[in-house]
Structure formats: structure tokens, C-alpha cells
Amino acid sequence: MPGPGFAVIDLETTGLLPSAHERVVEIAIVHADQYGTVTGQWETLVNPQRHVGAEHIHGIRAADLIDAPAFTEIADDVMDLLSGRVIVAHNARFDRGFLTAEFGRISRALPDDAPTLCTMQLARELIPGAGRSLADCCAAFDIALEDAHRAAVDARATAELLGGYIASTGREFWFSHIDRALSVAWPSPASTATTALARWVARGSSAASVPFLQRIAERMPDFSGPAEHVEYVALLDRCLIDRHLSEHESRQLVALAKELGIGRDTAAGLHAQYFDQFAAVAWADGVLSSTEVADLAAVASLLQVPDARLTAALAPPAAPAAHAAATDAPFTPGAFTLAPGDAVVLTGEMSRPRADLEAELVAAGFRVASGISKKVALLVAADPDSLSGKARKAREYGIPVVGEEHLQRLL
């Protein structure tokens, strides 16, 4: 959408240095006219094809990015939205540096002569005495900044800050940059795809917010048989070894149910049978520990087992052996085990030093491997939905991926 005015950008990234292979995970571009009035806004999450980095800062989980486009898929959109405009950002060196790196990975480049303005640097002259953070600068103009570190929020606030700057100064400075921007030659789009200005993968609106059982299609009639049921429950058991269902695991279960011809009602029945057998295994020694109670509650929640069934499972069975025999699950829970000498791989930024975790694994009799092969038994990830190359390869090989917390069970 070339035209006179500004393209205000903000990025959320996996880290601080593009030279250290950090990537963009969210981008927002706000258009403003020559007077600083906002005329349009575009945003999207971006799949970085690696760890998401400081989730506690940007609030973006790996599960949020599974359906997000890779940067190469939105490169034409970004080029089109910047073309003919003055690029503006708060700490423009940071944002432009990341954009340059992202385009460089796909052998494209931002024009070196595309004019760029930094609202953080301009604050030194235009609002002397104020702080340099976006929040400080916005406060000087009474601009609201809520839900900071979301690209769309920060870009919009920066655009409003730009409008405040323009209104409080002579316009010749701004107009001269707009004239320069119009003279810059931008590269032609690499494809003929139509620019998707409304393209937006919203946080919290992904399939992850829908329980996976509801994503399994209703199938009438259901022709699946015992062999299909065993295969489905075997995957279910593998996914539940850490009492957590990542978004990747939920999708695997939904896809397998579709492939095997298992409908939602049949899946719900298999979940109930699995849960009953899970409870029978927990009661095998005649006692429920606090950990087993927590496990039963977690599995019941993940499988959408009715509360009444969970309550019944927590009550001591009249005859444990008979109770176990009465369940007709096609698979016994707990089939996955780790044996001494099994290889374990770690990936992501753990809450504890990687060296400490590796030392504990070795002390417990496991082998720590640096890369994924078919001989690896388990991948431990900082985020079970990790988008790292190790996690992608582990899923391809059918290797379970669990969170860091599950290490305590192993150790």
C-alpha cells in the first residue's frame, strides 16, 4: 500500500541479537499519513522455526505459533506495507536490524536508502528530561500503553507518539523524509500472492483453546475395531507420560483418530476405559499416594472424564483385582518406560542450568545425547510445544516430548 506517510513497526523476538540467530515471533505495522494520523494497521504472529525465547516478556507460547506463517510467507506483505513510506520504530536500530536479518535469510534486502526515524532517539530533542522507554515517552503525551510487549499495542502507541511529535514541531522535517521515501526503489514482490492486510493469527484464538476430544470428528457409523483402538490408546498413553497434552500431541491424536476412522463417541469411550485402567493400576498396591491422586485428576481433566467417574476412581475398590479385570481397556497405561542407559536429549532454555540437569540424568543412569536420532528414548523440552529442530525431528521419529517438570518423575 505505497503512499505518502509513515510505516510504524514493532517486533517481538526470541532474543536480542539477530546475529545470534534470534528470530521474529510477531510483527505489527501501523500506517500513518503525513500528519501522523493512523490510517491502517496489520499484524501477525510469525513461526520462528526455533525456540520462542523469553515467553515471560512477550507472552507468546510455542503453541500459539504452530499455525503462524514463517517469515518467508509474509515477506511480500511486509515489503508492500513498508514500500514508499518512512520506517518508524521506537529503538529503530533493533527493529530494522531484525528485519534486515529476516530478509537476508531469504536472499532479499531492505533498500539501504529507505529513510528510518527512531522515536526513542528523537525524544532526546523533542521531550528533554523524559525517559527513553516507550512507556516514558507515551506518558509525556498522555498516550495509553496497556498490554505492552504486544507488537500491535507497541506499534500503535509508537504511531500515536509520532503524531504527537509532528503536532508539536514544524512539519518541514517530516515532509522531507516522506519525499525521500517516495524516491526509494523497492524490490518487486517475489511472488504474485495478494497482500493479506487482515492476516492475523490472534493469541488465544488457536485450536489449543478447544479440548482435543471436541476436535475429533463425529463419525456415524464408526467402523474402527480393536486393532485401531489399541493403536489410538497406545499414542494416548505415550502423550500422557508427563500428565500434559501439548498442542502438538493433541493434533497427533486428532489426526490419528481421523486416519483410523475413530469417531468422537468411540474416542470418549476409549478415554473412559483408559482412565479406569489407569485408576486400577494406581490402586494395585491398595493405596493411593498424593502423587497418584494428582495424576488421576490431571488425566481425568485432559481426557474430559466426567467428575463422577473421577470421584468413583478415588474411592477404594471393593476388590482391586476384580476392578482391574472389569475394565476392558485395549491397552495398559504405563507402557512407556525408561531403562538405564537410555538416551535423553534436552532442548530449550530450562529454568535450571543445562549442565545441572545433564549431571542429574547421568547420575540416574541415563545417557545424555546432543542430537536426535532414532536411538533416543526421550526429548525433554523447556516447552513441550517447542518449535526447535530437535523437537520437530523427535515428533517425526515418534519420540516422546515432555516438559522439564517431568524430569523430576524420571529422577
Side-chain angles (χ1 to χ4, degrees):
M1 188 188 296
F6 306 89
V8 184
I9 64 174
D10 188 81
L11 309 176
E12 295 300 325
T13 64
T14 63
L16 300 177
L17 298 173
S19 59
H21 307 292
E22 304 293 353
R23 303 295 301 273
V24 171
V25 293
E26 187 175 33
I27 179 171
I29 301 176
V30 175
H31 278 180
D33 65 17
Q34 60 267 44
Y35 304 109
T37 302
V38 172
T39 59
Q41 179 172 315
W42 178 91
E43 62 176 310
T44 184
L45 294 172
V46 182
N47 188 326
Q49 301 176 315
R50 54 147 292 161
H51 306 299
V52 298
E55 181 181 325
H56 64 285
I57 294 178
H58 52 56
I60 299 172
R61 305 169 302 153
D64 298 325
L65 302 174
I66 295 173
D67 292 325
F71 189 84
T72 185
E73 298 176 77
I74 60 167
D76 283 345
D77 292 345
V78 174
M79 280 281 191
D80 187 66
L81 288 161
L82 299 181
S83 165
R85 292 177 176 267
V86 181
I87 299 172
V88 181
H90 199 80
N91 192 359
R93 181 178 180 181
F94 175 89
D95 293 273
R96 178 144 183 167
F98 266 94
L99 276 184
T100 298
E102 290 288 357
F103 278 114
R105 288 187 180 93
I106 56 175
S107 301
R108 302 183 67 185
L110 291 174
D112 291 336
D113 55 344
T116 302
L117 292 174
C118 178
T119 52
M120 183 178 74
Q121 296 297 332
L122 289 168
R124 182 179 293 109
E125 299 177 15
L126 301 181
I127 44 175
R132 295 294 175 261
S133 71
L134 180 58
D136 288 338
C137 293
C138 285
F141 284 88
D142 199 24
I143 296 169
L145 181 60
E146 299 179 1
D147 196 17
H149 292 295
R150 174 166 180 167
V153 172
D154 288 356
R156 183 65 180 244
T158 302
E160 293 183 23
L161 179 62
L162 172 68
Y165 285 177
I166 294 174
S168 62
T169 58
R171 291 175 178 166
E172 293 77 10
F173 171 80
W174 312 100
F175 287 0
S176 66
H177 282 79
I178 291 173
D179 289 341
R180 282 179 52 206
L182 289 172
S183 66
V184 174
W186 284 76
S188 300
S191 70
T192 57
T194 302
T195 300
L197 289 179
R199 188 173 188 176
W200 175 29
V201 182
R203 296 183 195 175
S205 67
S206 66
S209 60
V210 180
F212 84 93
L213 182 59
Q214 266 56 61
R215 298 184 235 168
I216 295 178
E218 294 181 354
R219 188 181 297 274
M220 295 293 291
D222 186 325
F223 294 109
S224 62
E228 289 79 12
H229 296 173
V230 168
E231 187 173 350
Y232 176 82
V233 179
L235 176 61
L236 181 68
D237 187 59
R238 194 182 79 200
C239 292
L240 289 175
I241 61 177
D242 57 351
R243 312 299 182 253
H244 170 78
L245 275 178
S246 70
E247 177 58 16
H248 279 99
E249 289 168 337
S250 294
R251 293 184 181 210
Q252 284 179 311
L253 287 162
V254 173
L256 184 62
K258 180 179 180 180
E259 178 185 334
L260 298 177
I262 293 175
R264 188 182 302 169
D265 289 344
T266 298
L270 292 173
H271 293 180
Q273 293 174 32
Y274 176 90
F275 178 77
D276 288 347
Q277 187 72 9
F278 190 87
V281 171
W283 275 110
D285 60 357
V287 178
L288 271 190
S289 67
S290 59
T291 298
E292 289 170 330
V293 170
D295 285 349
L296 283 168
V299 171
S301 175
L302 292 169
L303 300 185
Q304 294 183 267
V305 171
D307 291 342
R309 204 175 197 105
L310 172 60
T311 301
L314 295 175
H323 177 81
T327 61
D328 190 27
F331 196 88
T332 301
F336 176 85
T337 57
L338 279 177
D342 277 348
V344 178
V345 174
L346 305 180
T347 186
E349 299 175 11
M350 306 290 186
S351 62
R352 298 170 55 198
R354 178 78 65 89
D356 291 354
L357 296 174
E358 291 178 347
E360 290 186 15
L361 282 166
V362 171
F366 302 118
R367 211 164 34 86
V368 178
S370 58
I372 293 292
S373 72
K374 292 183 178 180
K375 295 182 179 180
V376 169
L378 187 72
L379 174 67
V380 181
D383 182 341
D385 271 313
S386 173
L387 302 171
S388 72
K390 289 180 181 178
R392 292 198 301 272
K393 186 59 70 174
R395 296 184 189 105
E396 179 183 328
Y397 290 159
I399 297 169
V401 179
V402 303
E404 179 185 355
E405 298 79 7
H406 187 61
L407 272 182
Q408 299 311 311
R409 292 178 179 272
L410 300 178
L411 299 174

